[in-house]
Every structure is written in C-alpha cells, then in structure tokens.
C-alpha cells in the first residue's frame, strides 16, 4: 500500500495538536508516520513533517515536549538531545534589520488586483500587509537539530511555502522546486505574512504556505497513492458557537474545511482513499483563539492524543487504516533500557538526491 501523509498549518498550538495526533496514530494502528511514501507539510505541519521525515518518532516528540531528559542520547548534530529547545517554535525575536514599512510585496498586491480570480482572498491581502518583524531563525535552528545540513533523509518530503511576489505554491523538496536547506525551507513555510519576516532562498522571498491552502492536500493528486492521511489543525466539523470573536474564528475554520473537502474530493476522484482528521470540540476549547500561544502546548497535545484516537476507532476509519504496515518497535514506543542501548532515534542517512542546496 502506498501511503501519503499531509500535515496542515496551525501555528504553535497546531504543531502541538499534530504531535499528539501522530502519537495517537502510532498507538492505534502500529504504523510509523515516518514510513509514509510521501509527506507534505505546511507551516506548523512542515516543522512536524521535517522531524517525521528525519525519523524522529512521535513518542519522542511528545516526551521531549513534556520535559523528559534522555541522558546519553545525542542528536544527529552531535549535541545532547536534552539541550534541544522544547518551545515548539514559540520563541519570537525581532528580525535584524530596518523595520518594515509599506506593503510587503507591491508586485503581489498589484497582481492580486488585476487577477482576483487567480488568488485566494488571503493571497489578495498578503501583498498589502507590511513585512513581518519576527525572525524565523528559531524555527530554522530547531529543524537543524534533526537535520544539520542538506535535506531530510526521507526520499519524498515537501515543505510548502509561497512565493512572496506571485503567491505561487512552492513545495520545497519536490523535483521541480528550487534547491534549499531543510531548515531554511521549513522557516519559509512558517513565515506568516505580517508577523514573520519573509525568508529568502535563491534570491527570492517566500512566506507561509498556508497563504494558498492550510493543508495543500491536493499536491498529492496524480501521485498514484492508495491512501492519504491528512491531519489539519485549522478546520473542524464542529459548528461555530460563542460570541462574535468565536464565530469569526469558526468562520475561518469553516473556510479551511471547505477547501480541505474540495482537495480531498480531487484525490478521491482518482481512486485514492482519504482519511481526514480534524480538531473536535474538546480540542477547540483547549486551543482557544490564539494558535501562536505557547502556554497550552502540552495540554493541546494530550487532548489530541485522546480525541484523535477516538476518531481513528470509528468503524469506517479503522477499516480504512487496517492494512497499514507495522512500524519498527523503537519507532512506536520508547525502547527498554538506557538510551545508550537504543537503536538510533534519528538514523544518519544521505540526503535525497537533488534536494539539498
């Protein structure tokens, strides 16, 4: 069975939700997400996707985020794993340089006016918003702990960003994409316009891949996959409730869900089965309105482990996932014995050909 894994955008708390969701998948199915034939990540999903593509198992992501220390365990960069950041990307430092003034991308702003039907409502706004003032360096450094240089060892991991001049989607890591270091490509995928400073790769500036789509699920159309599992933190099937702000956030989630459903239908029309996993009511309560807050990361993660497990146990979903291949034991749960005796958590492998700069 050829399987695709899609990890959507969702800010700091969306990344926590994705981590808990992946842990639930390994426990409920015995499948290792890192063994997917293709992995697509957008924004927060590109961070978690990069770790997954590097071979970091979900149980380790959860344990590390919760503060566990594994004495004697070093990362691929040679430094102790215990020294790696546990902030989930919630480190916001100013970008070095002059403060941004005026529209961030005149070219995108003007082109969106002349060709409104070719751009999403968000893409039409992005060009007119001033460039972000927060640096993406902390995101880049986090990814470099797992992959110090080059691209992910996974043969087909894509980190989706958008060209800041055209709003065109760019799946870094795909055969036709510009070459890039993994950390820089993931930083570009996370560069929320107006908040993070855009990331320059090969002389062009890039911003968050969520400008075009929160999931970018449709990028896997025509890839001859039997099954695609999509985890999308910014959509839900729950009706919007509460006051005005809650209903506005709910409207945004509804729009994300409609786009997600449209993309799923495109794959299903080709004969690919699609499993969509989204936050439910309990997740939304814990996540709140501000997905960039780092205060509830572990609570969001723990809730997602439970709610996603419940979704995976639904008869139709369980039947669809029944034939997933069994993962290696050390990828599914913490090995016995001291860390020095464990198989490599992140094995050293050569980068995929042509992906690295």
């Amino acid at each position: 069975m050829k399987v695709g894994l899609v990890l959507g955008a969702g800010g700091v708390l969306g990344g926590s939700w994705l981590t808990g969701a992946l842990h639930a998948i390994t426990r409920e199915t015995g499948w290792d997400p890192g063994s997917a034939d293709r992995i697509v990540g957008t924004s927060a999903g590109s961070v978690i996707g990069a770790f997954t593509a590097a071979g970091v198992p979900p149980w380790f992501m959860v344990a590390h985020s919760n503060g566990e220390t594994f004495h004697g365990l070093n990362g691929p960069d040679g430094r102790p794993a215990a020294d790696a950041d546990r902030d989930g990307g919630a480190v916001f430092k100013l970008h070095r340089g002059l403060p941004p003034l005026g529209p961030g991308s005149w070219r995108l702003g003007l082109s969106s006016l002349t060709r409104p039907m070719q751009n999403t409502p968000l893409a039409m706004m992005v060009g007119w918003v001033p460039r972000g003032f927060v640096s993406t360096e902390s995101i880049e450094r986090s990814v470099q702990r797992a992959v110090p240089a080059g691209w992910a060892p996974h043969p087909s991991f894509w980190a989706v960003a958008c060209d800041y001049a055209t709003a065109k989607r760019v799946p870094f890591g795909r055969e036709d994409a510009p070459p890039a270091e993994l950390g820089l490509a993931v930083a570009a995928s996370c560069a929320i316009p107006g908040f993070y400073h855009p990331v320059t790769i090969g002389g062009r500036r890039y911003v968050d891949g969520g400008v075009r789509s929160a999931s970018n699920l449709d990028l896997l159309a025509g890839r001859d996959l039997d099954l695609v599992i999509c985890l999308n933190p910014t959509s839900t099937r729950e009706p919007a409730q509460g006051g005005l702000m809650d209903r506005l956030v709910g409207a945004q989630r509804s729009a994300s869900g409609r786009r997600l459903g449209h993309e799923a239908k495109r794959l299903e029309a080709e004969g690919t089965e699609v499993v969509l996993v989204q936050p439910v009511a309990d997740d939304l309560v814990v996540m709140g309105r501000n997905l960039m807050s780092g205060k509830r990361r572990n609570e969001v993660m723990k809730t997602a482990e439970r709610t996603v497990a419940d979704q995976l146990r639904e008869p139709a979903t369980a039947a669809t996932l029944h034939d997933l291949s069994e993962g290696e034991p050390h990828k599914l749960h913490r090995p016995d014995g001291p860390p020095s005796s464990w198989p490599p958590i992140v094995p050293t492998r050569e980068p995929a050909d042509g992906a690295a700069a």
Side-chain angles (χ1 to χ4, degrees):
M1 176 185 288
K2 295 182 66 177
V3 182
L5 176 66
V6 175
L7 305 176
V12 173
L13 295 183
S16 297
W17 184 87
L18 289 168
T19 303
L22 288 175
H23 195 204
I25 287 177
T26 62
R27 290 188 307 174
E28 292 296 316
T29 68
W31 177 69
D32 169 22
S35 68
D37 294 273
R38 296 188 183 274
I39 302 174
V40 175
T42 302
S43 199
S46 74
V47 177
I48 306 305
F51 292 146
T52 302
V56 182
W59 70 260
F60 184 85
M61 296 187 211
V62 170
H64 182 75
S65 180
N66 284 329
E68 287 195 46
T69 299
F70 303 98
H71 296 290
L73 184 66
N74 293 333
D77 59 358
R79 292 183 289 171
D83 292 347
D85 294 335
R86 304 177 191 268
D87 49 56
V91 174
F92 308 126
K93 296 183 178 179
L94 294 179
H95 175 79
R96 293 188 296 272
L98 296 174
L101 299 173
S105 175
W106 282 101
R107 180 178 171 186
L108 177 56
L110 293 173
S111 67
S112 66
L113 292 178
T114 58
R115 293 178 291 179
M117 300 305 294
Q118 297 182 21
N119 292 287
T120 65
L122 179 57
M124 293 181 66
M125 296 170 51
V126 162
W128 300 108
V129 176
R131 292 193 307 277
F133 51 89
V134 176
S135 172
T136 58
E137 288 183 3
S138 63
I139 298 172
E140 184 179 356
R141 287 198 302 268
S142 292
V143 173
Q144 287 173 338
R145 291 302 303 264
V147 181
W151 197 252
H154 192 284
S156 187
F157 168 63
W158 303 342
V160 186
C162 284
D163 189 301
Y164 203 22
T166 65
K168 177 183 177 182
R169 289 189 296 189
V170 179
F172 285 105
R174 197 170 71 176
E175 301 86 352
D176 57 349
E181 293 283 315
L182 179 64
L184 200 60
V186 170
S189 181
C190 294
I192 302 170
F195 183 78
Y196 284 116
H197 195 81
V199 174
T200 300
I201 298 175
R204 297 190 68 86
R205 294 185 299 165
Y206 295 92
V207 292
D208 197 308
V211 167
R212 299 297 302 187
S213 167
S215 65
N216 290 296
L217 171 62
D218 57 328
L219 285 176
L220 290 184
R223 294 287 169 169
D224 193 31
L225 296 170
D226 300 300
L227 170 67
V228 172
I229 301 169
C230 177
L231 309 178
N232 200 53
T234 61
S235 60
T236 185
R237 296 185 178 91
E238 302 290 339
Q241 297 179 353
L244 176 60
M245 288 302 300
D246 292 313
R247 291 186 178 276
L248 288 175
V249 172
Q252 293 174 341
R253 287 189 174 276
S254 295
S256 176
R258 287 192 296 272
R259 174 68 186 250
L260 180 67
H262 175 76
E263 293 175 349
K265 288 179 180 178
R266 182 176 174 187
L267 271 71
E268 290 169 342
E270 299 176 347
T272 300
E273 289 191 278
V274 179
V275 171
L276 301 178
V277 182
Q278 306 168 72
V280 298
D282 287 355
D283 297 299
L284 300 180
V285 170
V286 180
M287 294 170 83
R289 301 171 190 163
N290 181 14
L291 295 179
M292 295 303 289
S293 170
K295 295 181 180 179
R296 304 179 303 280
R297 290 187 301 109
N298 290 332
E299 188 178 358
V300 168
M301 196 180 305
K302 184 176 180 180
T303 303
E305 289 184 52
R306 173 176 56 83
T307 62
V308 171
D310 289 342
Q311 293 183 62
L312 299 177
R313 292 169 189 160
E314 294 175 1
T317 302
T320 301
L321 303 179
H322 181 266
D323 293 331
L324 288 172
S325 59
E326 188 80 11
E328 298 177 83
H330 71 283
K331 294 292 186 180
L332 303 180
H333 51 77
R334 178 174 175 166
D336 296 327
S340 59
S341 68
W342 295 355
I345 296 298
V346 185
T348 301
R349 289 176 283 180
E350 292 298 322
D353 292 340

